[in-house]
Amino acid sequence: MTNQSHAPIHVVGAGLAGSEAAWQLVSRDIPVVLHELRPHRGPEAHKTGGFAELVCSNSFRSDDHENNAVGLLHEEMRRAGSLIMASADTNKVPAGGALAVDREGFSEKITATLRAHPLVTVVEGEVDGLPPEDWGDVIVATGPLTSPALAEAIRATTGTASLAFFDAIAPIVHFDSIDMDKAWFQSRYDKPGPGGTGADYINCPLDREQYEAFVDALLAGDKTEFKDFEKTPYFDGCLPIEVMAERGRETLRHGPMKPVGLTNPRDPTVKSYAIVQLRQDNALGTLYNMVGFQTKLKYGVQADVFRMIPGLEKAEFARL
């Protein structure tokens, strides 16, 4: 039964945090009014009107709860009845030891579950300032793509000089355009994970000459100008690959292109100088995203540069 002693709690934002907050409240019989800007007005990075839409990586990182802090958090959330984790587990795709999801199915399950719940009232439209006092209890969970008016109200109230966030999107490739005569399936160290077999990633090997040419092309390629909402500092945990390359020619080999834990079955005695990995992006296995390849290169340059990678010479991109 509804908790009659508690007025509805307003949750602003139906992203990952807002959706989970709403679910935890209604699971305790507390009614929720869930405010979501989309679909009437879409932030620049979103493509759909669905809740908890993933706009960058489809990976929730390691799912190993015995040896990894992120994996332990996943397990704690499961035991707390998390909607996010339930949807992730339902829509998981092979990703070695990581938990990765079909991003469309993930969002659709969360959206359908919350919209169907009798204690959830969804209000579509912008909250353009601090919530009015008559709302009572409010959770603001609008994340990095908060609308400008609300962001300014939060900044003014908290006295914070600025609210910074940077992220970028990695390219997504059609599987049938990858040359599997050059690439191969293998997870790093053959590690199986949720929904995986230990051979879940596509690996594209580069020798030293190919790697050096690739880095040269990255450094020379035209970059997209920042939009106003993107003029924020980079974060080391999510650097565009061209920025990593600017920090040193070997940086990528110790980051997203590291060759450790992988062996080319066609030439097992020769160690690849660098390796690009692609991770399944949808349940059908028709799309793969380039792991760690967030970039601000212009679209045409992206296609030209990434087709320098062995196995991706004829790559067709679903998203750049």
Side-chain angles (χ1 to χ4, degrees), residues 122-140:
V122 177
V123 176
E124 296 174 347
E126 181 177 1
V127 176
D128 58 3
L130 293 180
E133 291 186 6
D134 61 6
W135 280 13
D137 294 326
V138 179
I139 297 173
V140 177

Side-chain angles (χ1 to χ4, degrees), residues 169-173 288-291 293-295 302 306 317 319-320:
I169 295 172
I172 295 177
V173 181
Y288 276 73
N289 66 70
M290 300 177 69
V291 178
F293 265 57
Q294 298 93 322
T295 182
Q302 285 183 48
F306 297 149
F317 296 93
R319 186 176 74 178
L320 289 165

Side-chain angles (χ1 to χ4, degrees), residues 234-285:
Y234 290 119
F235 296 110
D236 284 343
C238 190
L239 292 173
I241 55 170
E242 61 272 13
V243 174
M244 283 189 268
E246 290 169 358
R247 295 187 174 186
R249 297 188 67 86
E250 292 292 288
T251 302
L252 290 171
R253 288 189 64 240
H254 295 274
M257 296 179 70
K258 59 182 178 288
V260 299
L262 299 164
T263 301
N264 188 341
R266 298 181 184 85
D267 200 356
T269 63
V270 176
K271 189 68 176 178
S272 299
Y273 194 74
I275 291 177
V276 174
Q277 288 197 304
L278 294 93
R279 179 178 55 231
Q280 188 170 327
D281 200 79
N282 65 345
L284 293 175

Side-chain angles (χ1 to χ4, degrees), residues 20 23-24 28 60-66 68-92 97-101 193-195:
E20 184 66 28
W23 177 253
Q24 293 294 336
R28 290 158 177 77
F60 288 88
R61 300 172 59 196
S62 175
D63 203 45
D64 181 356
H65 68 274
E66 295 182 350
N68 186 281
V70 175
L72 179 59
L73 175 60
H74 291 174
E75 184 62 21
E76 290 172 343
M77 291 176 67
R78 289 184 179 102
R79 297 189 185 192
S82 166
L83 175 61
I84 297 299
M85 294 311 302
S87 183
D89 289 337
T90 299
N91 291 282
K92 62 189 175 186
L99 175 61
V101 302

